[in-house]
Amino acid sequence: MSDKLERLDRLPLRTNLRGLSPYGAPQLDVPVLLNVNENTHGVPVDVQAAITEAVAAAATGLNRYPDREFTELRQALAEYLGHGLAPENIWAANGSNEVLQQVLQAFGGPGRKALGFPPTYSMYPLLASGTDTEYVRGFRAADYGLDAASAAAQVRDTAANIVFLCSPNNPTGTGLTLDVVEAVYNAGEASQAIVIVDEAYHEFAHDNTPSALTLLPGRERLIVSRTMSKAFALAGARLGYMAAAPEVTDAIRLVRLPYHLSAITQATALAALNHREALMADVEDIKIQRDRIVTELLRMGLKPSVSDSNYVFFGGLDNPHEVWQGLLDAGVLIRDVGIPGHLRVTAGTEKETTVFLEALESLLHGPAAPHA
């Protein structure tokens, strides 16, 4: 045990937190960063200017607490999501992780269980531990899919109080069909399970892919969470949000910290929402690069999953960690998610994607022959 772990172990830490490691991906200084599913396109210049102007205006009142109910932002988010949603259906926090944490604070806790279906977003068990909620690991099919019958049976068998459905799923990138969400919701009736559909990457889904937002009417235990970190290129601003029945957002108010969303965060998010057309144009470009990666990986003889996200999960590797290291040595950082035979890569700009694909092909098949 390292000295750092020994010192930590001497503290009166809660029992269920002992031995855990904090969430985190490698943060390395390399030319091409494609490991944490950020929007690699950055914020367009005109949107930067709008954000700067909005933040400057907000700075004149920083001696006062911000709007505790972030009323204008909730209105803007409801308008963006559509589906007949109103401000009372919307809640926001510092990243979707804080939204999920607040849901667990309100509906989880000692004696309650949260069900997830790994491989999936690795923060779910950490959020459960942080709120003293038991995390139950369900299972997926061999191809990492999740069908309605299997998911519903697992909800009934575990009598889960909270269910995490990640769609598109991280790290596999595959979206869920709405029949899975409906089946899970119905199966959770006996345990009054809160069903969270984590749609952090939904804006990158293929055209006409339905959102669980369509299922919200009449389902007071259903929550759909989103983020502005990905499609809106605001990972550094930290703004996540959710849509749910008004009574759910009222429940979250019982556990939120006072004035938890700063005036600067609110101003930034509003400016981005007001200029979403420019940001969504970059989303379309990212989708082109994602599909290009899938096509090229297939050509290389690898096995990429169909992706509704801004990343591609791919298998067919005998030595994934060696490939990961070889790419790193070539200046490209992607994600080793710890699944045998697989790696995950974020869709970058056209130039970044080209660097990744050429480096990968060189590792798998040797350097390309020079042109005559």
Side-chain angles (χ1 to χ4, degrees):
M1 183 181 294
S2 70
D3 180 61
K4 185 177 181 179
L5 288 177
E6 286 180 357
R7 287 186 282 114
L8 178 62
D9 201 49
R10 289 197 295 268
L11 291 174
L13 196 64
R14 280 186 2 223
T15 302
N16 69 316
L17 296 181
R18 291 191 178 277
L20 295 182
S21 298
Y23 173 84
Q27 291 184 300
L28 304 173
D29 185 17
V30 298
V32 180
L33 295 170
L34 302 175
N35 68 320
V36 289
N37 301 338
E38 295 162 322
N39 187 323
T40 53
H41 285 56
V43 179
V45 174
D46 58 336
V47 185
Q48 290 180 36
I51 290 173
T52 300
E53 182 179 350
V55 168
T60 64
L62 288 181
N63 58 310
R64 302 294 186 183
Y65 285 116
D67 175 9
R68 184 174 56 209
E69 290 296 310
F70 46 97
T71 309
E72 188 179 359
L73 178 56
R74 285 191 295 117
Q75 177 66 54
L77 287 168
E79 179 187 352
Y80 168 67
L81 290 178
H83 296 282
L85 294 168
E88 55 264 30
N89 296 112
I90 305 299
W91 187 254
N94 293 283
S96 59
N97 285 327
E98 186 177 47
V99 171
L100 299 179
Q101 181 184 57
Q102 291 173 339
V103 172
L104 284 162
Q105 287 174 316
F107 299 105
R112 297 193 175 188
K113 291 180 284 189
L115 172 65
F117 300 93
T120 192
Y121 185 34
S122 57
M123 270 300 298
Y124 297 153
L126 294 178
L127 290 167
S129 293
T131 56
D132 211 5
T133 306
E134 180 186 353
Y135 185 73
V136 180
R137 288 171 170 80
F139 57 87
R140 293 174 175 267
D143 64 355
Y144 305 114
L146 186 65
D147 64 63
S150 173
Q154 292 180 68
V155 172
R156 287 191 293 267
D157 291 346
T158 60
N161 305 103
I162 296 171
V163 183
F164 289 108
L165 295 174
C166 191
S167 180
N169 185 50
N170 184 1
T172 59
T174 48
L176 290 175
T177 53
L178 294 187
D179 66 311
V180 177
V181 180
E182 292 180 285
V184 164
Y185 187 89
N186 293 335
E189 180 68 34
S191 58
Q192 287 293 284
I194 295 290
V195 179
I196 304 167
V197 184
D198 182 351
E199 292 189 344
Y201 299 93
H202 180 79
E203 285 92 346
F204 299 100
H206 289 89
D207 293 344
N208 301 317
T209 300
S211 165
L213 291 170
T214 61
L215 300 178
L216 281 174
R219 293 182 174 88
E220 72 281 354
R221 293 181 287 105
L222 181 62
I223 295 171
V224 180
S225 67
R226 294 279 187 96
T227 182
M228 294 186 75
S229 293
K230 312 300 181 182
F232 283 85
L234 292 183
R238 312 307 303 130
L239 194 290
Y241 58 103
M242 72 178 201
E247 53 267 40
V248 173
T249 61
D250 285 341
I252 301 302
R253 286 178 173 85
L254 300 175
V255 298
R256 60 102 180 266
L257 293 174
Y259 311 105
H260 70 292
L261 273 185
S262 76
I264 300 301
T265 299
Q266 293 182 43
T268 299
L270 277 166
L273 285 163
N274 289 334
H275 291 79
R276 55 182 175 266
E277 292 82 6
L279 293 162
M280 292 305 112
D282 282 343
V283 166
E284 291 306 311
D285 187 59
I286 291 167
K287 290 165 68 175
I288 290 171
Q289 298 309 314
R290 173 203 63 200
D291 294 342
R292 176 189 171 202
I293 290 171
V294 171
T295 299
E296 289 300 301
L297 293 183
L298 285 169
R299 183 185 60 78
M300 292 181 205
L302 298 174
K303 299 175 181 178
S305 296
V306 174
S307 177
D308 279 300
S309 56
N310 70 332
Y311 52 88
V312 177
F313 177 74
F314 62 100
L317 299 167
D318 295 328
N319 50 354
H321 189 73
E322 288 183 24
V323 172
W324 178 88
Q325 185 63 57
L327 288 168
L328 180 60
D329 293 342
V332 181
L333 179 61
I334 68 170
R335 189 72 173 266
D336 184 347
V337 292
I339 298 174
H342 290 77
L343 292 169
R344 189 194 73 194
V345 60
T346 304
T349 62
E350 182 178 5
K351 180 179 178 180
E352 290 171 330
T353 300
T354 297
V355 172
F356 159 70
L357 290 170
E358 291 180 350
L360 179 62
E361 182 145 39
S362 179
L363 285 169
L364 296 178
H365 305 302
H371 293 290

